[in-house]
Amino acid sequence: MSLFTAIAVIGLGFWAYQQNILTQQAEREVARLEAEIAAHHERLAILRSEWAFLNRPDRLRALVDMNFDRLGLLPMQPDQFATIHEVSFPDPLAALTEASLVSDEAVLEYQP
């Protein structure tokens, strides 16, 4: 019985050591991913600030004024605007059935 106990203790020790190594690897991977996410968040913040800077109304107005003739732009007229009720939107159910993305049962269950 003592030989079996010794082998069991050695086996459990080996298993515990393996689990420890796997846990350390997982912790390093989590730390790496967290650092990568933080870098992406920082880059996203920079891109958002650049986007806001480039889309300032005074800057865009100056660009339009400089390139008005070259781009062949036309002045905006009040009749070019519409209300939301004047916009025709496609029927989402028709688009789904035409593309055969859903089954017939799902189409029958759909109630807008």
Side-chain angles (χ1 to χ4, degrees):
M1 197 64 151
S2 68
L3 179 62
F4 176 73
T5 305
I7 292 174
V9 167
I10 291 172
L12 288 173
F14 180 73
W15 174 82
Y17 179 76
Q18 269 189 320
Q19 294 305 309
N20 187 17
I21 297 298
L22 291 174
T23 302
Q24 290 173 0
Q25 288 174 347
E27 287 175 345
R28 282 193 296 270
E29 179 70 10
V30 167
R32 184 190 68 76
L33 289 173
E34 286 175 345
E36 186 178 338
I37 289 170
H40 284 300
H41 279 287
E42 184 177 335
R43 177 73 177 137
L44 184 59
I46 292 169
L47 289 173
R48 284 183 175 151
S49 65
E50 288 176 354
W51 182 258
F53 177 76
L54 293 174
N55 284 304
R56 292 184 330 258
D58 57 332
R59 179 185 172 277
L60 294 176
R61 192 174 303 112
L63 286 173
V64 167
D65 291 341
M66 284 189 311
N67 297 299
F68 194 81
D69 294 330
R70 188 171 63 119
L71 295 175
L73 299 174
L74 299 174
M76 294 181 71
Q77 302 296 325
D79 62 341
Q80 292 175 318
F81 296 96
T83 64
I84 191 70
H85 301 297
E86 295 173 324
V87 178
S88 62
F89 293 100
D91 181 20
L93 183 59
L96 288 175
T97 56
E98 288 174 11
S100 298
L101 296 176
V102 295
S103 67
D104 292 336
E105 293 83 19
V107 170
L108 293 175
E109 292 173 9
Y110 176 78
Q111 295 179 6

